[in-house]
Amino acid sequence: MRDFFKGRSFKVLAGAVLVLLGVVLFTAATGNSFLSSLMGFVTTPVQQLSNQAATAAGAVGPSGKTIEELEAENAELKEKLNQMIALTVDYYDIKRENEQNVKYLELKEQKKDYQFALASVIGRDPADLFYGFTIDQGSLSGIEKNDPVITDRGLVGWVSAVYPTYSHVTTILSPETNVSVLDQVTQDTGVAAGSLEYAEAGQVEMRFLTAENKLKAGDIIVTSGVGGVYPGELPVGEVVEKRQEENADSITAVIQPYEDIKTLTNVCVITEFLGQGSTMPEVASPDDSSSQAEE
């Protein structure tokens, strides 16, 4: 035991105890500031080293690229995506135009006097009970008020308001529409007009038939060309039924248009045709400037 107290180990231990005791006594006299400073002196370099390591790790992505490099790549990918979206839109626009051109090419070959303006439906008024719509072509495309509006399946309406780059179309389901028509089979004539009663079903009436008419279900109704507003022989629809109006001498036929007016997406406006405006018709309703002239 005596050897221990005389040995080097005891001296080192005693020295450490004395130093620790001195630190404790000094701290008691000065408060915790010295101990805090001492701990800070030891831990600060460690914290700085840790922060630098974390910053370095955050600045490098899993691929080994810096944040700046990754952000630059992200911006480039977004730009390429925008370009692809634009190309896709252009593709579908061209595809739609080509499909429209194919549809009307045969009609153009048959009716060489027709001038067309192809258009897309860009808006509908939910409050319109007769399913009028807006198209993306206007006066800059040669469109004028009262121009007939068709599809490859037949007549769907007429231009009731024109602006430089768009137009409003009133459909054949509207009471404002009056079209001179005839039965392609029997040659019986009448006036096709819309009504609230039949609009929801997507049908129109053929009015002013005589008692001697020979119309029957399935007959094809076309425009007669009388009046100069519509060219002749445009398909309007098919006879669904005939009925005798109560307290009236005339007979009315119900016509089912060949085109679904409610779901149209693309149409064609006939801007010129042989005989256009040859006979100026009377106005259907003098008090309504938007009403179409009667055939």
Side-chain angles (χ1 to χ4, degrees), residues 93-295:
D93 283 343
I94 295 172
K95 182 174 181 291
R96 173 182 56 80
E97 290 178 2
N98 287 339
E99 289 174 350
Q100 286 182 295
N101 289 330
V102 169
K103 285 182 179 180
Y104 299 115
L105 180 60
E106 183 178 352
L107 181 59
K108 180 65 176 177
E109 288 297 320
Q110 295 174 353
K111 305 292 185 180
K112 297 185 182 298
D113 59 307
Y114 285 9
Q115 294 296 319
F116 292 128
L118 302 180
S120 295
V121 177
I122 58 173
R124 291 183 182 274
D125 182 0
D128 188 343
L129 300 177
F130 307 105
Y131 305 96
F133 52 86
T134 301
I135 58 175
D136 63 351
Q137 300 295 332
S139 59
L140 294 178
S141 299
I143 293 175
E144 297 179 353
K145 185 175 180 179
N146 288 331
D147 282 348
V149 180
I150 66 172
T151 69
D152 60 314
R153 303 183 68 181
L155 181 68
V156 297
W158 52 284
V159 176
S160 53
V162 185
Y163 304 90
T165 58
Y166 65 96
S167 303
H168 183 73
V169 176
T170 297
T171 71
I172 57 176
L173 304 179
S174 171
E176 296 180 14
T177 304
N178 294 277
V179 187
S180 289
V181 295
L182 58 82
D183 187 317
Q184 201 172 45
V185 178
T186 68
Q187 296 298 298
D188 288 300
T189 62
V191 174
S195 68
L196 185 60
E197 180 181 0
Y198 289 104
E200 181 59 31
Q203 298 173 330
V204 299
E205 294 179 297
M206 182 175 175
R207 301 170 180 168
F208 310 121
L209 293 168
T210 65
E212 294 77 21
N213 79 84
K214 299 178 181 180
L215 271 79
K216 63 182 182 300
D219 283 358
I220 297 172
I221 304 300
V222 299
T223 56
S224 67
V226 174
V229 176
Y230 299 95
E233 300 182 351
L234 286 177
V236 176
E238 182 178 297
V239 176
V240 176
E241 63 173 327
K242 286 193 302 184
R243 67 180 188 178
Q244 177 75 48
E245 296 293 338
E246 295 182 7
N247 303 321
D249 296 331
S250 63
I251 298 174
T252 298
V254 179
I255 309 300
Q256 181 67 56
Y258 290 115
E259 189 67 80
D260 184 356
I261 307 297
K262 301 177 184 179
T263 60
L264 290 171
T265 56
N266 299 303
V267 297
C268 176
V269 181
I270 302 178
T271 57
E272 292 183 28
F273 61 91
L274 188 63
Q276 184 179 31
S278 59
T279 302
M280 293 304 295
E282 297 180 359
V283 177
S285 175
D287 296 330
D288 186 354
S289 59
S290 65
S291 295
Q292 184 193 32
E294 290 187 3
E295 293 278 19

Side-chain angles (χ1 to χ4, degrees), residues 15-93:
V17 170
L18 290 175
V19 171
L20 180 60
L21 180 60
V23 169
V24 170
L25 293 175
F26 185 80
T27 301
T30 61
N32 294 328
S33 59
F34 175 75
L35 184 59
S36 299
S37 299
L38 180 61
M39 294 301 294
F41 176 77
V42 174
T43 59
T44 296
V46 177
Q47 290 176 344
Q48 291 177 344
L49 181 62
S50 176
N51 290 335
Q52 291 174 357
T55 301
V60 179
S63 62
K65 297 179 180 179
T66 65
I67 295 298
E68 290 76 10
E69 290 174 334
L70 292 174
E71 288 178 347
E73 287 186 3
N74 187 44
E76 183 179 355
L77 289 174
K78 286 182 178 179
E79 178 62 25
K80 289 182 178 180
L81 178 60
N82 291 334
Q83 293 175 358
M84 289 299 296
I85 292 174
L87 288 174
T88 302
V89 171
D90 290 341
Y91 165 77
Y92 283 109
D93 283 343

